[in-house]
Amino acid sequence: MLNNLVKSVIFLITTVSFCNTINIPADYPTIQQGINAAIANDTILVHPGIYSEGLITVNKDVRLWSLFAVTQDTSYISQTIIDATQIYLCTVNADL
């Protein structure tokens, strides 16, 4: 049983040590670029600003947080905005 506990602690330390924090926009200018660069268990920390991004695709196990998650300062919620109003989507049907 002690052997399993030691293995679990080593696994936890190893797993935690490979987690990165990606800061948006310091490390990548867009949230999507940060997600694309992330690996499993990374944190994408989005700093205050307006991010004009329409469709954000998260296809891996990452945490997407504003600074509220690490500071508990609720003012960060209204200061960190994903604005999709200028994004236009269209569908093209090639079987006309």
Side-chain angles (χ1 to χ4, degrees):
M1 180 151 152
L2 183 58
N3 191 23
N4 287 339
L5 179 61
V6 170
K7 286 179 184 177
S8 296
V9 169
I10 290 171
F11 175 76
L12 180 61
I13 291 170
T14 304
T15 303
V16 170
S17 66
F18 289 111
C19 298
N20 295 312
T21 299
I22 296 171
N23 290 284
I24 307 300
D27 297 329
Y28 293 92
T30 69
I31 297 168
Q32 187 65 62
Q33 287 174 335
I35 292 169
N36 293 348
I39 59 172
N41 298 314
D42 281 355
T43 298
I44 294 97
L45 189 59
V46 183
H47 289 254
I50 299 174
Y51 300 89
S52 297
E53 301 184 50
L55 178 64
I56 296 176
T57 304
V58 181
N59 55 0
K60 56 188 89 172
D61 185 17
V62 296
R63 291 171 294 282
L64 181 60
W65 291 348
S66 75
L67 287 179
F68 167 74
V70 294
T71 66
Q72 300 301 300
D73 181 346
T74 58
S75 70
Y76 287 123
I77 295 170
S78 63
Q79 295 176 37
T80 309
I81 301 164
I82 298 173
D83 179 8
T85 59
Q86 298 301 315
I87 306 298
Y88 301 99
L89 300 175
C90 66
T91 302
V92 176
N93 186 348
D95 296 324
L96 293 176

